[in-house]
Amino acid sequence: KIVMRILDKSRSMIGLAELGFRWAGYGGFSPMLQRAGPTDGGDLILADQGAAASWFFANPRRTGENELQAFLHPKPANTVRIFCVGESAMQGYPQPRQLASTSFLRAMLQDVWPGRAVEVINLGTTAVASFPVLGIMTEALAFEPDLMVIYTGNNEFFGTYGVASTGRAGGRPWMLRMHRTLHSLALVQAVDRWLGRDTAEVDRTLMEVMMAQNYVGPNDWKRAAAANNLYYHVAAMIERCRARGVPVLVCSLPANERDLAPIGND
């Protein structure tokens, strides 16, 4: 009975602390796609450039980013809307926006559909693994896509929520979800803010900062974990698109030359 009373009081204190920190502005995560305000054509929706930061729990001062995108909701008549989700390869980094694959796709489709308005909205985000891509894509499904293009898998080792990253949260999909839920708590966010460290490291690239180890051996358990996470999250993306009746195109990745690491020494 004494133990139960202690547990009940502890839960009550934690609950009050959570409510207090929520009142102070902590808790939850801002969506990437945010309503900026009404226009004559509908609500203006912006892809918030700061929203990617919520996924970088291990590098709060050095995070990936997404491009600023804008579109109307509801979708205007005679408009074809395509969302493209993935990582820096989808975003087009480090090339300028006009050289990203999405810019070519928009121009090519506009050529073949001169009587329609073509929107190709690039939500690619640098230095994330497939779990954050799943979250970003799920947001996009609420905004009437005619097609979802998925190009992910580059960062299953070193991107945030990757299995060999400083932003590692476990080796299984349920661990990643649990970690994300835990970090949505106001109490946890407040503590993280108080204990925050400057991890800018301007002399290193973001992906170098994200690397917890620079070599993953052929028999390392992280290889199977990375493959399993990618399979699970891409399958979840496909199922969520099907549930909404949205066609989905999954692009495969180019392979590296044998024995040439994507990052590190030759």
Side-chain angles (χ1 to χ4, degrees):
K1 289 181 179 180
I2 294 174
V3 172
M4 292 302 296
R5 289 196 193 101
I6 294 173
L7 290 175
D8 288 340
K9 288 183 179 180
S10 297
R11 283 194 291 265
S12 298
M13 291 177 64
I14 293 173
L16 288 173
E18 178 71 14
L19 290 173
F21 283 118
R22 294 247 173 197
W23 180 81
Y26 294 94
F29 299 112
S30 297
M32 176 172 285
L33 301 175
Q34 300 190 24
R35 180 181 180 274
T39 71
D40 291 340
D43 289 338
L44 179 65
I45 308 298
L46 297 179
D48 179 21
Q49 291 176 291
S54 72
W55 297 97
F56 288 79
F57 55 90
N59 300 83
R61 299 181 187 273
R62 186 76 188 276
T63 69
E65 61 182 20
N66 56 285
E67 293 276 359
L68 179 63
Q69 304 282 334
F71 55 92
L72 295 176
H73 181 70
K75 182 174 62 180
N78 203 35
T79 296
V80 177
R81 176 170 293 167
I82 300 172
F83 283 109
C84 298
V85 298
E87 298 126 13
S88 54
M90 173 58 82
Q91 187 193 81
Y93 177 86
Q95 305 301 327
R97 181 186 292 185
Q98 64 267 29
L99 295 181
S101 60
T102 48
S103 297
F104 287 94
L105 177 60
R106 181 186 300 108
M108 294 166 73
L109 291 178
Q110 197 63 77
D111 282 346
V112 297
W113 289 329
R116 300 183 183 182
V118 177
E119 297 178 350
V120 181
I121 301 166
N122 189 336
L123 299 180
T125 304
T126 58
V128 297
S130 57
F131 177 55
V133 175
L134 170 62
I136 293 166
M137 188 221 71
T138 302
E139 284 190 46
L141 283 174
F143 294 98
E144 305 173 274
D146 295 294
L147 176 67
M148 190 71 68
V149 179
I150 300 168
Y151 181 55
T152 187
N154 310 72
N155 299 339
E156 295 307 294
F157 288 109
F158 300 136
T160 188
Y161 283 95
V163 296
S165 170
T166 54
R168 176 176 171 264
R172 295 182 179 275
W174 69 266
M175 295 180 181
L176 309 186
R177 296 194 301 272
M178 184 176 68
H179 186 278
R180 179 71 170 170
T181 300
L182 180 66
H183 274 260
S184 72
L185 298 177
L187 185 59
V188 174
Q189 291 183 10
V191 172
D192 281 347
R193 179 76 60 88
W194 294 335
L195 299 179
R197 296 171 297 167
D198 188 350
T199 57
E201 300 191 68
V202 294
D203 59 330
R204 303 172 70 198
T205 68
L206 176 58
M207 289 305 292
E208 287 175 319
V209 171
M210 297 297 294
M211 292 168 61
Q213 62 185 84
N214 61 6
Y215 176 72
V216 180
N219 297 317
D220 195 308
W221 67 267
K222 295 181 185 68
R223 288 184 177 268
N228 179 67
N229 285 348
L230 178 62
Y231 181 91
Y232 181 92
H233 294 133
V234 171
M237 291 184 227
I238 294 170
E239 288 304 315
R240 292 182 189 186
C241 288
R242 286 175 174 170
R244 290 285 191 121
V246 176
V248 56
L249 175 65
V250 181
C251 302
S252 60
L253 304 181
N256 291 308
E257 295 281 348
R258 184 183 177 190
D259 299 325
L260 180 64
I263 297 177
N265 298 323
D266 292 341

